[in-house]
């Protein structure tokens, strides 16, 4: 099955012209062999923008506050987003109040992992959670200086 997913990822990469680093960033979580350990965990969709100076992640987290979400970097290059998925219900102000209908879903637990490209600066990651959207900004490292050839005269 993982081979099929890798083939699909390669086809999408070719079709849309994703650079190799974007393919790894986008498709890592789908072809992850650790996916079985995450059963029962919601997979919230994430949009990833590759700009010249940074990678920007947008993730909908309705009903969660910033204190409900944890963002970490593991193994030097793996961005991890977690949530326990709990929401407090508003209690009635007066004694004897009870809900007669509960339709809003409690958010699922969230666990998403992304392998960051080599040019990601893991020391410069910022996060904000506003209006139900988690935004992560991962700055890019400057490109390595190009090596220059120096001709040495032989005496």
């Amino acid at each position: 099955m993982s081979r099929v997913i890798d083939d699909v990822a390669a086809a999408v990469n070719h079709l849309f012209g994703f650079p190799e680093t974007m393919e790894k960033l986008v498709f890592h979580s789908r072809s992850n062999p650790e996916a079985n350990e995450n059963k029962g965990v919601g997979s919230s969709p994430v949009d990833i923008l590759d700009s010249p100076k940074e990678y920007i992640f947008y993730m909908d987290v309705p009903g969660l506050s910033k204190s409900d979400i944890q963002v970490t970097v593991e193994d030097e290059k793996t961005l991890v987003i977690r949530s326990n998925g709990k929401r407090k219900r508003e209690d009635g102000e007066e004694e004897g109040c009870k809900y007669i209908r509960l339709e809003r879903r409690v958010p699922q637990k969230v666990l998403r992992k992304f392998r960051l490209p080599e040019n990601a600066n893991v020391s410069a990651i910022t996060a904000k959670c506003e209006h139900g959207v988690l935004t992560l900004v991962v700055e890019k490292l400057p490109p390595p200086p190009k090596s220059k050839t120096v001709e040495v005269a032989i005496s």
Side-chain angles (χ1 to χ4, degrees):
M1 179 78 174
S2 140
R3 176 75 181 138
V4 172
I5 292 172
D6 290 341
D7 290 345
V8 170
V12 169
N13 177 45
H14 179 73
L15 181 65
F16 292 108
F18 285 146
E20 183 180 332
T21 57
M22 267 315 275
E23 178 184 340
K24 290 177 182 176
L25 188 72
V26 172
F27 293 108
H28 172 69
S29 58
R30 291 185 185 157
S31 60
N32 185 353
E34 299 170 354
N36 288 336
E37 78 181 32
N38 300 332
K39 286 186 177 176
V41 175
S43 180
S44 297
V46 175
D47 295 337
I48 305 170
L49 176 65
D50 182 4
S51 75
K53 295 184 179 182
E54 58 204 8
Y55 297 103
I56 305 172
F57 294 71
Y58 299 100
M59 180 176 182
D60 290 338
V61 289
L64 297 177
S65 67
K66 64 182 182 180
S67 62
D68 297 326
I69 302 166
Q70 295 176 334
V71 178
T72 58
V73 176
E74 297 176 355
D75 302 325
E76 296 182 22
K77 288 289 183 179
T78 303
L79 180 67
V80 181
I81 304 168
R82 287 187 176 89
S83 168
N84 64 7
K86 294 181 180 176
R87 176 196 292 149
K88 293 180 181 177
R89 296 260 183 220
E90 292 81 11
D91 294 326
E93 293 181 19
E94 298 178 27
E95 202 171 305
C97 292
K98 65 180 181 179
Y99 281 100
I100 56 173
R101 181 179 294 230
L102 291 172
E103 292 183 350
R104 295 185 305 152
R105 289 186 189 169
V106 174
Q108 292 184 352
K109 290 184 179 182
V110 173
L111 176 61
R112 293 296 306 265
K113 294 183 179 184
F114 299 92
R115 184 178 55 230
L116 296 171
E118 290 300 317
N119 68 340
N121 185 354
V122 296
S123 300
I125 298 176
T126 59
K128 68 178 178 178
C129 185
E130 292 180 338
H131 308 294
V133 178
L134 175 66
T135 304
L136 299 168
V137 177
V138 181
E139 289 183 16
K140 291 181 179 181
L141 293 169
K146 294 182 180 179
S147 60
K148 59 181 182 178
T149 304
V150 176
E151 192 173 327
V152 177
I154 301 173
S155 55

